[in-house]
Amino acid sequence: MTTDATDARGVTAPGPYEPAPPTPPPPEHGGTTLHKAAPRAVREPRRSTATTRPTDYFAALGAAAASLALTWLFFTRIAPFTGGLGFVVFAYALFLALYALLVSFDEDGPAVRDRIASVIVQSLALLLLTALAFVIVYTLWSGRQALPHTNFFTQDMRSAGPLDPLTVGGIRHAILGTLIQIGIALVLTVPAGLLCAVFLNEVPGRYARFVRTVVEAMTALPSIVAGLFVYATAILALGVAQSGFAASLAISVMMMPIIIRASDVVIRLVPGTLREASYALGSPRWRTVWHVVLPTARSGLTTAVILGTARGVGETSPVLLTAGFTAVTNLSPTDGPMVPLPLVTFEFVKSSQKTMISRGFGTAAVLLVLVLILFVVARMVGGRGPGELTRRATHRRVVASRRDQRRFAERAAARGGLTAAGNTPAHPESPERGPVQGVDGS
């Protein structure tokens, strides 16, 4: 005996033991047959694809609370342990053990190991984020006394000394020096770095492998070695004076391997099918690189330039040997010393006066903001995805499309007029009238 159920729409559904109705035969002339959807009562519920569950949070919170309590008990009552670092390390190890124990009540071995690995990775990410936040907050807080003064950004140290208050003097000369030196370094390194990265990917061989090995070795080059290299070759051997240009050469030595290595990795990610499609259309290698490879990897190449710029902006050792030191503003990169922000920060912080130390931390804060501004500008310039055009490029493409449409319409109208006059056949393959004649009579 079966029981029928009626849903809210008045449709009678078969009972739990009643066989399903036969599938209707397909239509005689082909087509698609749509089956009726199953009743809501027998549909399979949706499964959650989330990687974390509420029990994971409860286990983590419980393990953290228990580890803190047990660690405090060990350090104050049971064992003669002392020190803040030891407290943190002991609490973290105890937290991992307790978390594994709690997770093992509900999961098997592989799942427990997966949870432990996830907790370790996330805790390391939190540790790095905390360290970065601490550095930024500490720098801003230590330079809070110098940053509110307008003269700190509009004056140099020409008329200020270690004993003068913060209302006198500033770091204008260091800001301009950093911008000039980084600008020269980018002009030298970006074309050469991108060209080298393209060479490593488009012209493989033994020499390319040798160059890649040298570049990878230079990424770990100590900055003081780069400064000594430029000091020995450019200043001592060639007679170049300590100046902004010499400092730019030293910064370029540090930026070049970073840009080449990061650009090499990004260009490798460009699908080979895009290159093959370009070659199939008859494009030469240089046009394929210029119009296919580089636009596709534009966002990643911008990131590579950002990494190189961040490396160059924060270097102190190379410019310490090549830039010289001055307290006045110098806008000529080839005439006289030119100091950047890292070198000024180093010189200010070495002083024993509180005002100079405040100026040093204020200079470091300005350096952080400058790097952030450069990052934002670079992302705005090259942050568009592959195939995404600017408004101007989109307008040019629309104008070109309209021009092509108008030209095709004029050509069709001309052919239609010739057909109506009897000069060309109505059908291009008509055997009575011979071959088709074009607009120009060919």
Side-chain angles (χ1 to χ4, degrees), residues 318-331:
V319 298
L320 182 64
L321 300 173
T322 57
F325 188 81
T326 180
V328 299
T329 303
N330 181 18
L331 300 180

Side-chain angles (χ1 to χ4, degrees), residues 186-199:
L186 288 175
V187 170
L188 296 176
T189 56
V190 171
L194 297 182
L195 185 62
C196 182
V198 171
F199 166 76

Side-chain angles (χ1 to χ4, degrees), residues 126-151:
L126 180 61
L127 177 62
L128 295 178
L129 183 61
T130 303
L132 177 62
F134 175 77
V135 171
I136 295 175
V137 172
Y138 181 79
T139 302
L140 296 177
W141 179 258
S142 300
R144 70 187 185 281
Q145 297 179 357
L147 292 175
H149 300 283
T150 307
N151 60 282

Side-chain angles (χ1 to χ4, degrees), residues 87-176:
F87 185 92
V88 173
V89 173
F90 188 85
Y92 184 72
L94 192 59
F95 163 75
L96 293 179
L98 294 175
Y99 182 74
L101 178 62
L102 294 177
V103 173
S104 63
F105 293 154
D106 299 327
E107 303 290 348
D108 54 358
V112 172
R113 291 191 291 270
D114 178 71
R115 294 290 189 272
I116 294 297
S118 300
V119 167
I120 292 176
V121 171
Q122 294 177 6
S123 59
L124 291 178
L126 180 61
L127 177 62
L128 295 178
L129 183 61
T130 303
L132 177 62
F134 175 77
V135 171
I136 295 175
V137 172
Y138 181 79
T139 302
L140 296 177
W141 179 258
S142 300
R144 70 187 185 281
Q145 297 179 357
L147 292 175
H149 300 283
T150 307
N151 60 282
F152 186 71
F153 305 97
T154 59
Q155 299 179 8
D156 52 23
M157 297 296 293
R158 183 193 307 268
S159 59
L163 301 179
D164 291 328
L166 295 175
T167 56
V168 180
I171 58 170
R172 180 187 62 186
H173 59 305
I175 295 175
L176 296 177

Side-chain angles (χ1 to χ4, degrees), residues 155-304:
Q155 299 179 8
D156 52 23
M157 297 296 293
R158 183 193 307 268
S159 59
L163 301 179
D164 291 328
L166 295 175
T167 56
V168 180
I171 58 170
R172 180 187 62 186
H173 59 305
I175 295 175
L176 296 177
T178 296
L179 294 178
I180 293 174
Q181 293 176 11
I182 290 298
I184 296 175
L186 288 175
V187 170
L188 296 176
T189 56
V190 171
L194 297 182
L195 185 62
C196 182
V198 171
F199 166 76
L200 294 179
N201 285 271
E202 300 297 330
V203 190
R206 293 183 178 180
Y207 185 65
R209 290 194 296 270
F210 172 74
V211 173
R212 182 177 285 110
T213 303
V214 173
V215 169
E216 292 177 354
M218 288 185 62
T219 55
L221 182 70
S223 58
I224 190 65
V225 175
L228 288 174
F229 169 74
V230 175
Y231 181 79
T233 55
I235 296 178
L236 296 181
L238 301 179
V240 178
Q242 289 184 336
S243 58
F245 180 73
S248 299
L249 293 179
I251 294 173
S252 300
V253 175
M254 300 304 302
M255 293 173 55
M256 184 74 72
I258 303 298
I259 295 178
I260 294 175
R261 187 74 181 104
S263 301
D264 180 25
V265 173
V266 171
I267 295 177
R268 284 187 191 181
L269 299 178
V270 177
T273 53
L274 296 179
R275 295 184 177 91
E276 295 173 0
S278 179
Y279 294 148
L281 293 175
S283 298
R285 178 176 294 179
W286 71 269
R287 188 178 293 274
T288 300
V289 172
W290 183 258
H291 292 283
V292 177
V293 177
L294 294 181
T296 304
R298 178 176 51 191
S299 180
L301 296 177
T302 305
T303 304

